[in-house]
Amino acid sequence: MDSSKYSLRDFVYIPDADIMERASIFQSYMDDVKEKHHYQYRRVSLNGSGPTMEVVDTYTGEIKEMIYMASNDYLNLTRHPRVLAAGQSALLKYGAGAGSVPLLGGTLDIHTQLEKDIAAFKGCEDAIIYTSGFGSNCNTLLALLGKQDIAILDQYVHASIVDGCQRTNVRYFRHNNMDALEKILARAQDEYVTKLVIVDGVYSMDGDIAPLNKIVDLAHSYGAYVMVDEAHATGVIGRNGKGTPEHFSLEGKVDIVAGTFSKGLGAVGGFIASNSKLIEYLRFYSRGYMFSTAMTPQAAGSLSEALKVITSEPELRQRLWNNINYFRNNLLSLGFNLGNAETAIFPIIIGDDWKVKEMGRRLHEMGIYVNPVFYPAVSRKLSRIRISLMAGHTKEHLDKVLNALEYLGREADVIGSAVKEKIAATIE
Ligand SMILES: Cc1ncc(COP(=O)(O)O)c(C=O)c1O
């Protein structure tokens, strides 16, 4: 099969093929993706997240040290000595697992401590914690919204939110577009019992920030609530790294603050912070919480310490922002299209699936680990190389990546006039 003629979407459903046949057709697609060296998934790391990473090369089998530009471990807390020590001591004290679901025996004092810590960090009364960020969003929304309600979603919200809205009415508004949001709010005004506007604080594919101040004003003026997913904002934006509400001085004004423990906080899990009544309700009605074993002690121990580190070591966030500014200014002066990216996530928009796959292959060969993103993850005209930065990247790492991008961008003719002029000047 020629994989360049298909995308992952083509194998969601194949008429008359049962699940085994479908999997087998998909396999022949993937075999060709691998044959073309466009398979950039599940690269195996031997030492875990860091500015560089030892990776087993999928194609040669060799172990190589790569500059890791695809981690959400923005502050490198996965390896912070205090975070490691706290996780280790929780592991030794409480064991490898919590032993039961939270309501029926699995709640440890370090779980209730983490609930308090994350609620305080987010300026909310209480919080519920889950073992994954995906499960957190999805199960919370499944528990809260039904047929009588409506979820009003930015078109780019995360899949966990989309999946959580399967039991309710859903309307999408154009990304970050307040006129489009207002039209939906106006139409929904008297029709539904609960109206919940849901946005990401920082968008995972675009690295831009939701205009949360306008969203909250607008939603509240139409009697709707607001939920913000802080997965990529926590630890990164806001004066103290507390996220989008802090960035817009809205602490305590957003009805539901969701987030993950897996990115800026360096471990795993998710949370929902809100008023104490809503949180207690969720503890009894959110099936993914009730019927799933509580977070591992090691994660809970590490996470309370990670929250302390974010507050006591602002220099980590400062280092991340120095890197963001340096990388961004250089990419822009080279003429790359970064959309409206403002944070640690850089979409280098190429707008051609084949070129993105080829650039992904070449970057991998050069020892630079990025995520090529193409249809159906984003529309074809917005296909991109997605890069994310960490506090621990050095100027040498960033320069090496910038040089490679300039070289490949020039080769593929995907950079704007700025670089073309620069190149022309060198040739003359
Ligand atoms: C915006 C957003 N929300 C939720 C999640 C799910 O979080 P987790 O990976 O912790 O399950 C992710 C990413 O993976 C995300 O990007």
Side-chain angles (χ1 to χ4, degrees), residues 46 186 264 311 341 368 381 396 400-401:
L46 297 180
T311 308
I368 299 170
K381 62 178 192 311
E396 286 68 37
K400 190 165 177 205
V401 177

PDB file of all heavy atoms in Angstrom, residues 46 186 264 311 341 368 381 396 400-401:
ATOM      1  N   LEU A  46      15.829   5.232  26.560  1.00  0.00           N
ATOM      2  CA  LEU A  46      16.460   4.374  27.566  1.00  0.00           C
ATOM      3  C   LEU A  46      16.690   5.096  28.885  1.00  0.00           C
ATOM      4  O   LEU A  46      17.067   4.474  29.874  1.00  0.00           O
ATOM      5  CB  LEU A  46      17.808   3.857  27.040  1.00  0.00           C
ATOM      6  CG  LEU A  46      17.718   2.960  25.802  1.00  0.00           C
ATOM      7  CD1 LEU A  46      19.106   2.505  25.369  1.00  0.00           C
ATOM      8  CD2 LEU A  46      16.846   1.737  26.070  1.00  0.00           C
ATOM      9  N   ALA A 186     -25.756  33.328  22.814  1.00  0.00           N
ATOM     10  CA  ALA A 186     -27.035  34.032  22.680  1.00  0.00           C
ATOM     11  C   ALA A 186     -28.138  33.049  22.285  1.00  0.00           C
ATOM     12  O   ALA A 186     -29.240  33.063  22.838  1.00  0.00           O
ATOM     13  CB  ALA A 186     -26.913  35.144  21.637  1.00  0.00           C
ATOM     14  N   GLY A 264       3.938  20.250  33.111  1.00  0.00           N
ATOM     15  CA  GLY A 264       4.797  21.135  33.905  1.00  0.00           C
ATOM     16  C   GLY A 264       5.085  20.595  35.296  1.00  0.00           C
ATOM     17  O   GLY A 264       6.073  20.984  35.926  1.00  0.00           O
ATOM     18  N   THR A 311       6.869  27.176  43.175  1.00  0.00           N
ATOM     19  CA  THR A 311       6.793  28.435  43.916  1.00  0.00           C
ATOM     20  C   THR A 311       8.169  28.894  44.393  1.00  0.00           C
ATOM     21  O   THR A 311       8.492  30.084  44.323  1.00  0.00           O
ATOM     22  CB  THR A 311       5.848  28.258  45.135  1.00  0.00           C
ATOM     23  OG1 THR A 311       4.630  27.715  44.632  1.00  0.00           O
ATOM     24  CG2 THR A 311       5.570  29.552  45.842  1.00  0.00           C
ATOM     25  N   ALA A 341       1.600  31.370  18.218  1.00  0.00           N
ATOM     26  CA  ALA A 341       2.243  30.739  19.381  1.00  0.00           C
ATOM     27  C   ALA A 341       2.866  31.785  20.307  1.00  0.00           C
ATOM     28  O   ALA A 341       3.508  32.724  19.846  1.00  0.00           O
ATOM     29  CB  ALA A 341       3.314  29.771  18.907  1.00  0.00           C
ATOM     30  N   ILE A 368      17.616  15.037  16.212  1.00  0.00           N
ATOM     31  CA  ILE A 368      16.719  16.018  16.833  1.00  0.00           C
ATOM     32  C   ILE A 368      15.313  15.416  16.899  1.00  0.00           C
ATOM     33  O   ILE A 368      14.730  15.057  15.873  1.00  0.00           O
ATOM     34  CB  ILE A 368      16.719  17.340  16.033  1.00  0.00           C
ATOM     35  CG1 ILE A 368      18.139  17.917  16.044  1.00  0.00           C
ATOM     36  CG2 ILE A 368      15.709  18.327  16.616  1.00  0.00           C
ATOM     37  CD1 ILE A 368      18.344  19.079  15.105  1.00  0.00           C
ATOM     38  N   LYS A 381      -3.596  22.137   5.489  1.00  0.00           N
ATOM     39  CA  LYS A 381      -2.924  23.415   5.257  1.00  0.00           C
ATOM     40  C   LYS A 381      -2.204  23.927   6.512  1.00  0.00           C
ATOM     41  O   LYS A 381      -1.486  24.918   6.458  1.00  0.00           O
ATOM     42  CB  LYS A 381      -3.869  24.451   4.658  1.00  0.00           C
ATOM     43  CG  LYS A 381      -5.058  24.834   5.492  1.00  0.00           C
ATOM     44  CD  LYS A 381      -5.846  25.905   4.748  1.00  0.00           C
ATOM     45  CE  LYS A 381      -6.915  26.591   5.574  1.00  0.00           C
ATOM     46  NZ  LYS A 381      -7.815  25.746   6.318  1.00  0.00           N
ATOM     47  N   GLU A 396      23.238  25.943  23.162  1.00  0.00           N
ATOM     48  CA  GLU A 396      23.837  25.045  22.152  1.00  0.00           C
ATOM     49  C   GLU A 396      22.761  24.126  21.571  1.00  0.00           C
ATOM     50  O   GLU A 396      22.708  23.919  20.365  1.00  0.00           O
ATOM     51  CB  GLU A 396      24.970  24.185  22.764  1.00  0.00           C
ATOM     52  CG  GLU A 396      26.257  24.949  23.045  1.00  0.00           C
ATOM     53  CD  GLU A 396      26.105  25.983  24.171  1.00  0.00           C
ATOM     54  OE1 GLU A 396      25.373  25.724  25.164  1.00  0.00           O
ATOM     55  OE2 GLU A 396      26.693  27.078  24.038  1.00  0.00           O
ATOM     56  N   LYS A 400      21.588  24.385  17.631  1.00  0.00           N
ATOM     57  CA  LYS A 400      21.705  23.220  16.751  1.00  0.00           C
ATOM     58  C   LYS A 400      20.354  22.973  16.041  1.00  0.00           C
ATOM     59  O   LYS A 400      20.318  22.720  14.832  1.00  0.00           O
ATOM     60  CB  LYS A 400      22.127  21.995  17.575  1.00  0.00           C
ATOM     61  CG  LYS A 400      22.497  20.837  16.699  1.00  0.00           C
ATOM     62  CD  LYS A 400      23.256  19.744  17.428  1.00  0.00           C
ATOM     63  CE  LYS A 400      23.492  18.597  16.414  1.00  0.00           C
ATOM     64  NZ  LYS A 400      23.667  17.313  16.992  1.00  0.00           N
ATOM     65  N   VAL A 401      19.291  23.096  16.806  1.00  0.00           N
ATOM     66  CA  VAL A 401      17.960  22.873  16.221  1.00  0.00           C
ATOM     67  C   VAL A 401      17.626  23.986  15.224  1.00  0.00           C
ATOM     68  O   VAL A 401      17.118  23.728  14.124  1.00  0.00           O
ATOM     69  CB  VAL A 401      16.892  22.792  17.342  1.00  0.00           C
ATOM     70  CG1 VAL A 401      15.495  22.646  16.756  1.00  0.00           C
ATOM     71  CG2 VAL A 401      17.191  21.620  18.272  1.00  0.00           C
TER      72      VAL A 401
END
